[in-house]
């Protein structure tokens, strides 16, 4: 592959977007980054992976809220002389990592507003994976080994969280077909 390719994949919870990204990574022979971005952000920031996992793809909370959640964390909330909530600081660090990855190699990045962070990159393809709610609930129920009712609640909660995160940090609306180069119903 001579030309660098960067694919940013947004997805509804339970749509199979992560599995599609993984398969695409295998076919194209390029790395995929999803939860790995949490590990990379932890290494770069010094915050624990557990704390970063808890706030992953969550819209920025207030400083007081972050302090109440993690009172025993020695967290530096200063950036460029400005006090920031933990979620905001983590997003900035993760954004820098996403930009660095896209600048240096072909890759697939799942979620975390990569479509917006990398906008203007000439080698970027933005994709949004969606699927009907019944199929998503079936997938989540099977994968999480829980009831359909629990899976439905989990799916709705995760979608609200992802939507709020994307709409807070990005300059586009999460899932809007006008915001992506390609929108696809996974039906897998």
């Amino acid at each position: 592959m001579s030309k660098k390719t960067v694919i940013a994949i947004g997805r509804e919870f339970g749509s199979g977007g992560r599995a599609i990204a993984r398969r695409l990574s295998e076919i194209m022979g390029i790395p995929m980054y999803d939860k790995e971005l949490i590990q990379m952000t932890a290494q770069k920031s010094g915050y624990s992976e557990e704390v970063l996992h808890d706030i992953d793809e969550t819209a920025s909370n207030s400083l007081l809220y972050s302090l109440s959640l993690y009172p025993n964390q020695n967290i530096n909330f200063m950036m460029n002389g400005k006090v920031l909530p933990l979620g905001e600081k983590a997003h900035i660090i993760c954004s820098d990592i996403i930009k660095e990855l896209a600048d240096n190699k072909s890759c697939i990045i799942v979620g975390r507003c990569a479509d917006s962070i990398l906008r203007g990159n000439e080698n970027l393809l933005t994709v949004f994976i969606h699927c009907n709610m019944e199929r998503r609930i079936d997938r989540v129920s099977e994968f999480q080994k829980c009831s359909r009712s629990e899976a439905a609640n989990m799916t709705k909660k995760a979608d609200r969280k992802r939507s709020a995160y994307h709409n807070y940090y990005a300059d586009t609306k999460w899932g809007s077909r006008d915001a992506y180069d390609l929108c696809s119903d996974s039906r897998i």
Side-chain angles (χ1 to χ4, degrees):
M1 181 176 291
S2 60
K3 188 174 180 182
K4 187 172 48 168
T5 301
V6 179
I7 302 172
I9 298 180
R11 73 277 182 235
E12 291 177 328
F13 188 75
S15 66
R18 183 171 170 39
I20 291 168
R22 188 180 309 113
R23 182 67 181 126
L24 192 57
S25 169
E26 292 167 2
I27 291 168
M28 296 180 72
I30 62 176
M32 178 195 92
Y33 298 94
D34 183 8
K35 299 294 182 192
E36 299 81 4
L37 291 167
I38 296 171
Q39 297 165 337
M40 296 166 85
T41 301
Q43 289 171 351
K44 190 169 183 177
S45 69
Y47 302 144
S48 78
E49 280 186 46
E50 179 182 297
V51 168
L52 293 174
H53 186 270
D54 288 347
I55 63 169
D56 185 40
E57 291 191 308
T58 301
S60 183
N61 295 312
S62 72
L63 176 61
L64 292 177
Y65 180 74
S66 296
L67 288 171
S68 72
L69 281 178
Y70 307 105
N72 299 323
Q73 288 286 316
N74 183 14
I75 298 173
N76 176 8
F77 289 92
M78 297 294 289
M79 181 170 261
N80 299 328
K82 183 180 174 186
V83 177
L84 297 174
L86 175 58
E88 190 124 346
K89 177 99 185 255
H91 175 75
I92 291 167
I93 293 168
C94 188
S95 295
D96 290 344
I97 292 167
I98 289 169
K99 289 174 191 172
E100 186 177 317
L101 289 169
D103 284 345
N104 292 315
K105 60 182 162 186
S106 292
C107 60
I108 298 168
I109 301 173
V110 179
R112 292 160 192 84
C113 299
D115 59 304
S116 182
I117 292 165
L118 299 174
R119 187 164 327 295
N121 181 322
E122 67 182 34
N123 301 318
L124 177 67
L125 173 67
T126 59
V127 179
F128 189 81
I129 307 294
H130 60 92
C131 189
N132 77 55
M133 183 59 86
E134 291 304 310
R135 180 63 187 121
R136 292 168 55 211
I137 291 169
D138 288 343
R139 272 198 200 112
V140 172
S141 177
E142 180 180 330
F143 186 75
Q144 297 290 333
K145 299 186 183 350
C146 63
S147 70
R148 284 186 51 75
S149 175
E150 291 170 315
N153 288 334
M154 201 180 304
T155 301
K156 290 173 188 168
K157 182 179 178 182
D159 279 350
R160 278 193 307 270
K161 183 178 166 185
R162 286 180 180 172
S163 176
Y165 175 81
H166 189 278
N167 294 343
Y168 182 84
Y169 288 110
D171 56 358
T172 58
K173 188 173 185 294
W174 182 75
S176 170
R177 69 178 186 215
D178 297 334
Y180 302 90
D181 297 317
L182 173 67
C183 293
S184 180
D185 186 337
S186 62
R187 295 184 195 169
I188 60 170

